[in-house]
Amino acid sequence: MDTLQQNVALLDAVAPAAGAPGREILDPATGEVVGVAPVHGLAELEAAVAAAKAAQPAWAAAGHDARSAALMAAADAVEANAEELARLLSREQGKPLNGPNARFEVGACAAWLRATAATALAPEVVVDDGEAYAELHYRPIGLVGAIGPWNWPMMITVWQIAPALRMGNAVIVKPSEYTPLSVLALVKVLNESIPEGLLTVVSGGREVGQALAEHPEIGKVMFTGSTATGKAIIRSSADTVKRLTLELGGNDAGIVLPDADPAAIAEGLFWGAFINTGQTCAALKRLYVHEALYDAVCEALTAYASAVPMGVGLDEANVLGPLQNKAQFEIVANLVEAAKDSGARVLLGGNPEPGQPGYFYPTTLVADIANDNPLVAEEQFGPALPIIKYSTVEEAVAMANGVSVGLGASVWSADKATAREVAAQLEAGTVWINQHGAVHPLIPFGGAKQSGYGLEFGAEGLKHLGVPQIING
Ligand code: NAD
C-alpha cells in the first residue's frame, strides 16, 4: 500500500505559505491526513481578479492559435504528471486509481484540453442575400468564475476552464472545500503552460463562491454542483446580470424495454449507475424495468454487482471506493433505511459495517420499491440503485419524467429505432441508448428542467464562453 510519501512534490507546491491559514484534508477511505489546503478568502479573490484583469487583454489579443498551443502544452504537462495527480486525487476524493476512476479522470483532463484546443469556432455568416449581410462572432467575456463540486474535481475543472481560456478569457477557480488539493495541484501543473495571472485558484468556502457570483468584474460563472446552490448563484449574480452555465443535480432514469437482453445489459447498467461509486451527476439513479424481465434483470445485475471490488483507492484491486464525505454517506444510508422501512426488498448491500474507518457504503440494489419512495424521488448520489417495475412504456415514461430535474436518461432495448422513439419522449438533456453517462469532448452536454442550462463541450461549449457579437453590414 502506498503511503503519505506519495504526492509530496505537488502537495508541497500547493501548501499554504508559512503562517497562512490551512485546513487538513482527510482521506475518505482511511481518515488519514492527505495534506493541508490553504484557506483563502475575499482578499485572495480580489488579488486573483486584479491579476486576471491585468493578464486577460494580451491573452485575448494572442489569438486562437496561440491559445490552442498553450492548451495543448497544458495537456502534455498533465500527462507528464499523470500518476502523481491520480494518486493525489485518489487519496483526497476516495476514488480508486484503477477502473473508470482517478487515472481515467486525469486522462480525461488531457483529452478535454486537447479536444478543446483543436475545436474551431469560425465566425458565422448568418445572412447574405444581396440586401442584408451579417456575421456572428464570439468575443471574449473577460473574467470567468469556475465553481466546482467534489465528485470529479479535476475533470470538471478542466471542462470549465479549457473552453474559457480557449475563448480568450481569464479564469478564477473556486474548488469544492472537500477537494481543493486536487484542483490546486492540477492548476499548478496547467500553469506551467498558461501565462501568469490567467488561471488562479481561490481555495475558499461558499462565501468565496458567493462573492465570485456577485463580483462586478466577473462576466460569467461556470457552475457545476447541486441545484440548490445553482439557484443561490442565480440570485447572487442577478445584480450584475452575469452569464451563467449551470450543470446541476440529476436523478437520471433508465428504462429497460421488454425486448432487452438482461445478461447483455447488466454490465452497462451497473457502470451507468455505479461509476465513481454512484457519485456522478449523470449516473443512472432510478432503473425502470418491464415486468416481463424484471426478475431476470434484478438477477443479472445482482450477479454482476456482487463481484465488483470496493475498498481503499490506492489498492489496484479496487474499482469502487468510499463516499467522499460523511454528509453524503448519511444521505445514502438514510435513504436506504427509509426504503427498507417501506418494505422494499434489498437484493444486495444495504448493510454498512459500523465502526470501520472510511465512508464505505456497500454496493446496494433495492427492488420492489414504490416510485414515490425517497430513494427513487431524490438524488441519492451514492452506490444505492432502486429498481422499479412497470407494466406499460407510457407508465415508465411518465415516472421517468415525474421529477423536477432532467440531466440524463437512458433506454435499453434490442431495437435502436424503438429505443429512439422512447428517448424522444424523455425530458432530459441527454438520452443514451444501451449505455448511460458516457461523455465525449465533442458531444454537447447539458441539463433540462432544473438540471440547469447552457451546454458544455465542442463548438457549442465554446460559444457559451464568448459574448455573441453581430457585425451587421
Ligand atoms: P454543492 O452545490 O454543495 O457545491 C458545489 C460548489 O458550490 C462548491 O465549490 C461550494 O463551495 C460552492 N458553493 C456552495 N454554496 C455556494 C453559494 N451560495 N454561492 C456560490 N458557490 C457556492 O455541490 P456538491 O455537493 O459539491 O456536488 C454534488 C452535486 O453536484 C450533485 O447534486 C450533483 O448531481 C451535481 N453535479 C452536477 C454535474 C453536472 O454536470 N450537471 C456534475 C457534477 C456534479
Side-chain angles (χ1 to χ4, degrees), residues 29-56:
T30 62
E32 288 173 18
V33 177
V34 178
V36 180
V39 178
H40 295 152
L42 300 186
E44 284 84 0
L45 175 61
E46 289 309 328
V49 167
K53 273 185 74 178
Q56 189 268 336

Side-chain angles (χ1 to χ4, degrees), residues 187-202:
V187 168
K188 176 89 191 148
V189 168
L190 298 178
N191 272 337
E192 290 172 17
S193 316
I194 308 292
E196 204 178 327
L198 286 172
L199 179 59
T200 307
V201 181
V202 182

Side-chain angles (χ1 to χ4, degrees), residues 93 95 148-153 156 176 178 224-227 247-252 273-286 321-333 335-336 359 361 374-386 407:
Q93 203 285 332
K95 65 183 68 192
W150 47 258
N151 58 340
W152 293 90
I156 287 173
S176 167
Y178 288 113
T224 301
S226 64
T227 297
E247 297 286 3
L248 309 179
N251 192 358
D252 291 13
F274 290 90
I275 185 167
N276 203 28
T277 315
Q279 302 162 104
T280 298
C281 54
L284 173 50
K285 291 172 181 150
R286 303 173 283 154
L323 273 311
Q324 203 281 329
N325 54 71
K326 188 162 185 274
Q328 196 59 45
F329 179 93
E330 280 166 5
I331 288 171
V332 175
L335 285 171
V336 175
Y359 305 122
Y361 195 90
L375 181 60
V376 183
E378 294 168 22
E379 184 185 32
Q380 71 278 51
F381 216 61
L385 179 68
L407 189 56

Side-chain angles (χ1 to χ4, degrees), residues 419-465:
R420 286 187 175 175
E421 277 171 28
V422 176
Q425 301 169 52
L426 294 174
E427 297 165 353
T430 302
V431 184
W432 288 277
I433 311 285
N434 293 331
Q435 56 173 346
H436 197 115
V439 285
H440 183 289
L442 298 181
I443 301 178
F445 177 75
K449 296 162 87 174
Q450 292 189 30
S451 289
Y453 43 74
L455 286 171
E456 296 188 293
F457 313 159
E460 285 306 315
L462 291 183
K463 289 178 186 174
H464 285 73
L465 272 309

Side-chain angles (χ1 to χ4, degrees), residues 115-168:
T116 309
T119 301
L121 187 61
E124 194 184 322
V125 176
V126 285
V127 181
D128 182 12
D129 63 3
E131 283 178 27
Y133 179 86
E135 288 175 353
L136 172 58
H137 294 251
Y138 289 87
R139 309 297 188 198
I141 297 166
L143 271 54
V144 171
I147 306 178
W150 47 258
N151 58 340
W152 293 90
M154 289 188 183
M155 187 174 76
I156 287 173
T157 298
V158 166
W159 289 358
Q160 297 176 329
I161 67 180
L165 290 169
R166 172 74 167 77
M167 293 301 286

